[in-house]
Amino acid sequence: MLESDGVKNSQRARFQGSYTATKAILSIVFPLVFGSLIYATGFLKSLIIVLVIVVLRIILSFMFKDENIPKCKKANLKKYFELTKNDKRFKQLYKVEFFNGMLYSEAAFSYIVTIYIIKVFSNSFSLGVFTSIFSAITCIIGILFARYIKEKHYVSIIKISMVLTVLFLFLMIFRCNAITIILFNLFQTISKNTVTLINGKNQSNLCNIKEIREEYKVEYWLTTETSLVIARIVSSCMFILMAYTNSNIIIIVFAVFLILFASDSIKLQKAIEEEKIV
């Protein structure tokens, strides 16, 4: 919500790509630095640094001034749905957010992938190196999205990266070894981050439609977050089912969700292109 107001639509790709790249770099650097501090000074002294960072984040959040505060003090979902019910961009967005919640946004699929990684890379050092390498790839993707990838390439990137991800997911399921896991995670990292960046850009841009921005911001984000929450619950239930049924069946179901996620992301992108947001 803060990002949609604080960043212009024309600058969205540059912001999100740069943010993703910075976050990826920090995910590599911070564990090394903080781990060294814990080793050198102890956990309690290092905890002070974390508390300082948290306080700084809180202070910075108060510095942000919302430019578009809805005039109505109460949310009105009925009017919001009346406004958006015939707009296919919104319908498609809810589907995209649902599959995002099933797969990537605090979802079980990410944990399943981690289990497969641990299965092959059994020691923590190998796992740390593996994670750092793919964080570096995420950083590169963020930079490319911010500076070089154009809207006309979005659909092709989603198609190619997701086809390769699903292909290597099936290879990983039936031939689980270091090579198939590395190849799957390579393409999954590319597809996950590019699709997330594209959808995140579209989601925030839709929030900047004049009527939504000025009157129905709360309703908009409430609806999209509800789609995420419902999907996370379903995803977690499927994760639990893995303990009682054939795990390969559950992963195949997630592969279907990957395909649907890509399909709906493409439909959302095309709908956005058909009707430019002012």
Side-chain angles (χ1 to χ4, degrees), residues 75 111 160 273:
Y111 303 134
I160 295 169
E273 290 173 359

Side-chain angles (χ1 to χ4, degrees), residues 24-142:
I25 292 170
L26 289 175
S27 72
I28 299 171
V29 174
F30 189 79
L32 292 172
V33 173
F34 197 66
S36 300
L37 282 171
I38 292 174
Y39 180 78
T41 64
F43 180 77
L44 290 177
K45 290 183 179 179
S46 301
L47 185 61
I48 296 171
I49 298 172
V50 176
L51 293 174
V52 170
I53 294 172
V54 171
V55 171
L56 284 173
R57 290 184 66 181
I58 293 171
I59 293 170
L60 288 171
S61 69
F62 282 111
M63 293 173 64
F64 181 85
K65 301 298 181 184
D66 197 336
E67 296 178 3
N68 297 288
I69 301 175
K71 297 174 184 177
C72 183
K73 294 182 179 180
K74 292 184 179 180
N76 193 328
L77 285 170
K78 182 179 179 181
K79 287 188 177 180
Y80 168 75
F81 286 127
E82 286 176 356
L83 176 68
T84 61
K85 65 181 179 181
N86 295 320
D87 194 323
K88 62 182 178 181
R89 295 173 298 179
F90 290 87
K91 294 177 181 178
Q92 208 58 53
L93 177 65
Y94 304 146
K95 293 179 184 177
V96 165
E97 286 302 291
F98 178 83
F99 289 118
N100 186 32
M102 289 294 299
L103 295 163
Y104 294 129
S105 180
E106 304 298 328
F109 183 68
S110 300
Y111 303 134
I112 293 169
V113 172
T114 302
I115 289 170
Y116 269 84
I117 295 170
I118 294 171
K119 184 177 178 180
V120 172
F121 300 93
S122 55
N123 63 77
S124 58
F125 178 77
S126 297
L127 182 61
V129 171
F130 188 85
T131 304
S132 296
I133 290 171
F134 284 99
S135 291
I137 293 172
T138 299
C139 176
I140 294 169
I141 292 169

